[in-house]
Amino acid sequence: MVDLTINLGFIKLRNPIITASGTFGYGLEFSPFLDLREIGAIIVKGLYFNEREGNPPPRIFETPCGMLNSIGLQGIGVKKFAEEILPKLTDYGVPIIVNVCGEEDDEYARVVEFLSSKKGISCFELNISCPNVRKDGKCPAISPEWTYNIVKLVKQSTKKPVITKLSPNVTDITEIAISAEEAGTDGISLINTILGMAVDIETRKPRLGNVFGGLSGPAIKPIALRMVYQVVNTVKVPVIGIGGIFKGVDALEFLIVGAKAVQVGTANLIDPLAPLRILNEIKDFCEKKGITKIEDIIGTLKVGD
Amino acid sequence: MVDLTINLGFIKLRNPIITASGTFGYGLEFSPFLDLREIGAIIVKGLYFNEREGNPPPRIFETPCGMLNSIGLQGIGVKKFAEEILPKLTDYGVPIIVNVCGEEDDEYARVVEFLSSKKGISCFELNISCPNVRKDGKCPAISPEWTYNIVKLVKQSTKKPVITKLSPNVTDITEIAISAEEAGTDGISLINTILGMAVDIETRKPRLGNVFGGLSGPAIKPIALRMVYQVVNTVKVPVIGIGGIFKGVDALEFLIVGAKAVQVGTANLIDPLAPLRILNEIKDFCEKKGITKIEDIIGTLKVGD
Amino acid sequence: MFVDSAQIIGKKIWSDWVLLSLKTYKIAEQARPGQFIMAKVNDSFHPLLRRPFSIHNVSSGEIEIFFQIVGIGTTILSEKKVGEKLNIIGPLGKGFNITSSVQNKEYYLIGGGRGIAPLFFLAKEIKKAGGKPYVLYGAKTEKDLPLLKKFWDEEIQVYPSTEDGTLGWHGLITELFEHKLKERNKIEKIFVCGPHEMMKKIALIAEKNKLDAEYSLESIFGCGIGACWGCVVKLRREKEKWVKACSEGPVFSGKEIIW
Amino acid sequence: MFVDSAQIIGKKIWSDWVLLSLKTYKIAEQARPGQFIMAKVNDSFHPLLRRPFSIHNVSSGEIEIFFQIVGIGTTILSEKKVGEKLNIIGPLGKGFNITSSVQNKEYYLIGGGRGIAPLFFLAKEIKKAGGKPYVLYGAKTEKDLPLLKKFWDEEIQVYPSTEDGTLGWHGLITELFEHKLKERNKIEKIFVCGPHEMMKKIALIAEKNKLDAEYSLESIFGCGIGACWGCVVKLRREKEKWVKACSEGPVFSGKEIIW
Ligand SMILES: Cc1cc2nc3c(=O)[nH]c(=O)nc-3n(C[C@H](O)[C@H](O)[C@H](O)COP(=O)(O)OP(=O)(O)OC[C@H]3O[C@@H](n4cnc5c(N)ncnc54)[C@H](O)[C@@H]3O)c2cc1C
Ligand SMILES: Cc1cc2nc3c(=O)[nH]c(=O)nc-3n(C[C@H](O)[C@H](O)[C@H](O)COP(=O)(O)OP(=O)(O)OC[C@H]3O[C@@H](n4cnc5c(N)ncnc54)[C@H](O)[C@@H]3O)c2cc1C
Ligand SMILES: Cc1cc2nc3c(=O)[nH]c(=O)nc-3n(C[C@H](O)[C@H](O)[C@H](O)COP(=O)(O)O)c2cc1C
Ligand SMILES: Cc1cc2nc3c(=O)[nH]c(=O)nc-3n(C[C@H](O)[C@H](O)[C@H](O)COP(=O)(O)O)c2cc1C
Ligand code: FES
Ligand code: FES
C-alpha cells in the first residue's frame, strides 16, 4: 500500500492528481466515465463574474504533440455556477477548486467574494495567466507588479486559500513567483498555456478565430518542467506542476523536481479516464520501487554527481 | 517556373531556405547528401573566438515531437574555421553566414573583426540567444539594453551585414526586436531554442548533463510562428523565421505571416536532404497555385474577415 | 457514454472512402441516429486528439463508421486492419429528432459528400418506424457515391446527384432538392448533413418552403464530451450565443442556427 | 554515406531480440565492421530522431541489424513486417581497425548483451582474412543469447557466459575474459562492445595485460552524421576533449578513451 496523500499546508489531498481548469468542464461532464471522488481535487473551468461568450471559432487547432486553444474563457458566471453546478458537484465529496478570472483586477475580488460564502469550495486558483482573453495575449502574470496587486487584492477579499496560476510567457518566471508569494499567495500553480499560432496555407488565414491561442499538451512538457523546477527553487509556498502530463512518468518527473501535486489538462480531452490512469501508474511505480509514501519522491532530483 | 529568389536588402538569396546554425555542422558534413549550392544560404555552427569544449553529456534528449539539446556551443574557434573550413566551403558557391558567439560582449566584436577580412563570408548572425551556455539559461537576448549594446558594438566592428538572432525566452519579443533594430541590425532571425528540461525517473537525474537545454523541433513551431508574426509587425528590417520547419507547409506558414526567408534546423538532423526537399515542396505548392514569384506569398496573412 | 476498445470486424475501401465495422456492444445498444463517436486513431501523441465520426449504421452489437480520407487521422484510420482494436468513446451528442408519429410521413434526408454518413442509420430508423425516407445523396463525381448500393439493398429510395453529371442529377444537390420539392411537397421534415455552404443553401430553400429542418453541424472538436468549449456554433437561443456542438448537438433545429 | 529506403526482406524475433535483413545495395557494398546506420522508425514526428544500429552482418546487397527492444523506437521497429521499407542512412562512422596482416593472428571479440551486434560482422571479416576470432558473448540469462547458433553456423568459436549460469560460463563476461586470457595469451587485439560498466572493467583487464584494444562506445545520438555535436565522448587526444562518437567513432582505441 502506497500512501498517496499530499499535504499542501492549506489543504490535504487524497492524492496528488488534480484536474486542470478548462479541460475538465465543470467536473460533472466526467461523471459518466470515472468516480470523481477518487481524484485529488477538481479545478473547474475559469469563472468570470458574469456569463461570458468567449472567442469566435475555430477555437482549437491541433499541432505536433500539442494543441492550440483560444476558447477565451466562455463560461456561465458565478451565479449560475453556484446555483446549478456547485450543489451537484459537492455531492461527490471531492475537493473543488474554482479557477478565478477577471477582466478588471476588481473582478477577481468580486468573484472570490461572491463564492467564498458558498459551501463546498476548498480554495481558489487565480487565473492571471490566460493568453486568450486579449488579442495581444497579455495577462497580469507577465508583470510582477500586476501579479502582486491582484494576489493582494484577492487575499484581502477571501479567507479561503489562494493558488496563483502563472504564465510561461515571461522572461523570468521566478520573479513573478516571488511577487505572488510576497503578496501572500498560499500556493503557486504553473504553467498555463504558451502563446502560439498556426496558419492555413490554403486560405492564408489563421487557424484560430482569435489569431493567437494557447499551446498545451506533451509538446510543452519540457518547458513546463523547467519552469516548475525554477519556481520550486525560489519560493517556499507549495508548487503545483502543470503541462503535458499524460502518463504516470510525466507526473513523477514534476514531483521529482519538487512539485507537491500536479494538474492533468489536455490529457482529459483525449482520455477522460486520464486522471485515475495516471494515478494508478504512479501507484504502480511506487510499489515497484518500494516507495511507501508519495511525499518521499517530492523534490528528490539529483543534480551534479 | 517559379521565381524563388529572395531579396533581403543586404543580401540576395537564390531561394528562401537557409540552414540553421548548429544543425548543419560546418556545412561540409552534408556534402555527401546534397548539392550545397542549391541551398539559399548556409549558417555554420556558432563560433567563439577560441576553440570551445561545450557541455558535459548527455547533450541530447528526445521529447514529444521535439528534442532538448545542451551542446553548449562546442566548436573549433575562428582561426581553425578560417583555415580549415572556409576555403573548402566557399568552393561550393553558396552564401555562407557565420553564427557569432561570445562569452563577453567584447568577444562578439573580436569574432566579426577577425572574420570580416576573410573571403567568402556573406554576413554574420549574432547568436545572443543560446540558452545552453550559462547554467541559468540567461543570454543577452533576454534584455533590450544588452541586445542593443552587443548589436551596436558588432555593427561598429564590421562592414558586413548583421542578422540578430532572438531568444523566445522573453515576455515581449517585440521589445527586443526593436532594440536590435535601433542598434542597427540589418535583419532579425528567430527563434532560437526554448529553455526546457527533462528528468529520468529511474535515476532521478536530469536527462541532460547541463540540467537545462534548448527545445527545438515541430513541438515549438506554433510558438515560433507567433513570435515571428509579432516581430514582422513591429520592425522594418527583414525577418527570418525559424522553429520546427520540417515540411514545405511549415516554411510557407512562416512566409505567409511575413518572414522573408526561413531556417531549417532540427529537420537536418533527421533528414539530411531536408533543405532541398522543403524547397521542392514550396516550389510544387507555388506551381499548383499558379504563383510565379515566391515573394508574392510573403506577408499575405488574412486577418479578420 | 462509454470508452471502449472496439475490435474492427469489417472494412471496405473505395478510393478515399472507408467503411469500418466495429464490435462494441454497449455503444451499439444506446446509439441513436445523428450521434457520433470519438476515435483515437493510434496511441501516439501525434496526432494528439480524437477524431469525431457519425454513427453510420448499427446492428446487433456492432456499429459502422463511414469516412473520407482527408488528413493524418483519417489516413491512419484507413490503414487499420480487420482484427485490430480502435479506442472509441460513444455514443455522444444529441441525434436527430424523429417524433413518435413517423408512420407514413415523408422525409427528405439530404447528404453532401461525407455528410451522408449519419443519414443511413437515420433512414433505416425512419423506415423501421413506418415513415418514408427519401435520400438525396450528392457529390462531385460518381466515385464519391460509394453508398448507393447500400441504400438500394435496404430498399431505401435514394436520388444521387453529381456536379459533373457522371451519375444521377447533373448539378448541385441543392438544385436536386428544389426539383424534388416540386414532385413531393407534403414533407414532414428534412434532415441535412454536408458542407457548411451546402447546408446554408438548403436552409434558404427550406425556409422559403416553410419546411421543418434539422442540420448536423461540423466544427473542430477538442474532446467531443462537452469539456473544452472548443466546438461551439452560433445559435439563437433567447439571445445569440455560442453553443457546444458536441454535447448540445451536433444536430440542431434550423430555427436556431445562425448560418 | 547514402540515404536509402531499404526493403525489409527478413525478420526474426526471440522475445525482445530482433534481427532484420535489409536490401540496400550501396550501403552493403561500402559497409565495414563497426560502422552503423541511422534508422527512421516511422514517418511521424514522434519519435522524432533516427536511431543508431550497428551493421550486424553484410552479404550481397543486404545488411542485417540486430537489436533489443528497449523503448518506443525499437518497439515500433520490431513491429515492421517483411516487405515494408525502412529509411536508413549509412554506412556511418569509423569501424574497427583490422590491419592487413591478420593472417593467423588471434583476437578476442567481447560482446555484452546488444553489444554483440557489430561483432558478428567483424568476426566474419577477421576469419575471411585468415585471422582467428574468439568471441565472448555474455548476457544475463540464456534467452538473451539468441545469436549463438549463428556464430556456430559460421564456424566461429564462441564462448557464452550468463550471469545466472543458465548457459556457458556462470558469471560475468569480464570474469570469463580473465579466465580465457590464461588459456590463450598471444592476443593481437581485443574488440569490445557492450554496456559502459562492462567495457570499463574489460579496459582495466586489458591494460593490466598490456593488450591492444578497441571499444565501440554508445552515447545518445542526435544525427549520426557529425552535424550536431550531441554524441560526444571524452578522449585523450593531445589534451582531454569531447569528441563526436558518431563521426570519429563509435570505435575508439583503448589508449585514448577516458572511462
Ligand atoms: C460530429 C462530427 C461527425 C463527423 N462525422 C464524420 C463522418 O461520419 N465521416 C467523415 O468522413 N467525417 C466526419 N466528420 C469529419 C471528420 O471528423 C474529419 O474529417 C476528421 O476529423 C479529419 O481528421 P484528419 O486527421 O484526417 O484531418 P486533419 O489532418 O486533422 O485535417 C484535415 C482537414 O479536416 C479538417 N478537420 C480536422 N478536424 C476536424 C473536425 N474535428 N471536424 C471537422 N473537420 C475537421 C481540418 O480543418 C482540415 O481541413 C465529422 C465531424 C464532426 C464534427
Ligand atoms: C553507434 C550505436 C550503435 C548501436 N547499435 C545497436 C545495435 O546494434 N543493437 C541494439 O540493440 N542497440 C544498438 N544501439 C543502441 C540503440 O540505438 C538504442 O537502444 C535505441 O536507440 C533505443 O531506441 P528506443 O526508441 O527504443 O529507446 P528510447 O525509448 O529512446 O529510450 C530507451 C532507453 O534507451 C536509451 N537510448 C535512447 N537512445 C539511445 C541511443 N541513441 N544510444 C544509446 N542509448 C539510447 C535511453 O537513454 C533509454 O534508457 C546502438 C547505439 C549506438 C550509439
Ligand atoms: C481547452 C483548454 C481550456 C483551458 N481553459 C483554462 C481556464 O479556463 N483557466 C485556466 O487557468 N487554464 C485553462 N487552460 C490551461 C490548462 O489548465 C493548463 O494550464 C494547460 O493546458 C497546460 O496543461 P496541459 O498541457 O496538461 O494541458 C485551458 C487549457 C485548454 C487546453
Ligand atoms: C543541436 C542543436 C544545436 C544548435 N546550435 C546552435 C548554435 O550554435 N547557434 C545558434 O544560434 N543556434 C543553435 N541552435 C538553434 C537552431 O539554430 C534553431 O534556432 C532552433 O533549433 C529552432 O529551430 P528548429 O526547431 O528548426 O530546430 C541549435 C539547435 C540544435 C537542435
Ligand atoms: S469538443 Fe470539447 S466541448 Fe465540444
Ligand atoms: S550524433 Fe550528431 S554529431 Fe554525432
Side-chain angles (χ1 to χ4, degrees), chain B residues 19-23 43-47 59-60 67-71 73-74 99-101 125-132 165-166 190-194 214-221 224 242-246 263-269, chain D residues 227-230:
Chain B
T19 57
S21 181
T23 64
I43 305 186
V44 296
K45 173 79 192 156
L47 285 174
R59 290 180 172 185
I60 286 199
M67 63 176 275
L68 289 165
N69 90 77
S70 61
I71 310 297
L73 291 163
Q74 176 165 3
N99 183 263
V100 178
C101 306
E125 179 181 60
L126 298 190
N127 178 3
I128 57 169
S129 49
C130 179
N132 289 321
K165 183 166 178 180
L166 304 189
L190 74 163
I191 62 175
N192 210 314
T193 56
I194 307 180
L215 186 65
S216 64
I220 68 167
K221 195 188 70 173
I242 324 170
I245 297 176
F246 272 61
Q263 292 182 21
V264 175
T266 303
N268 298 317
L269 307 186
Chain D
C228 74
W229 278 263

Side-chain angles (χ1 to χ4, degrees), chain A residues 20-22 45-46 69 73 99 127 165 191-192 216-217 242-244 265-266:
Chain A
S21 181
K45 173 80 192 155
N69 90 79
L73 290 163
N99 183 262
N127 179 2
K165 184 165 176 179
I191 61 173
N192 210 315
S216 64
I242 323 169
T266 303

Side-chain angles (χ1 to χ4, degrees), chain A residues 51-113:
Chain A
E51 197 176 333
R52 201 185 146 86
E53 278 299 89
N55 288 326
R59 290 181 171 184
I60 286 198
F61 183 69
E62 187 173 317
T63 66
C65 296
M67 63 176 274
L68 288 165
N69 90 79
S70 62
I71 310 296
L73 290 163
Q74 176 165 3
I76 58 176
V78 291
K79 283 180 194 143
K80 214 162 164 187
F81 174 75
E83 281 161 27
E84 295 177 16
I85 307 288
L86 196 53
K88 288 185 208 156
L89 200 51
T90 46
D91 276 357
Y92 286 95
V94 55
I96 299 161
I97 300 173
V98 170
N99 183 262
V100 177
C101 305
E103 263 184 73
E104 314 294 318
D105 295 7
D106 199 48
E107 188 170 357
Y108 288 93
R110 285 197 293 140
V111 171
V112 300
E113 265 164 26

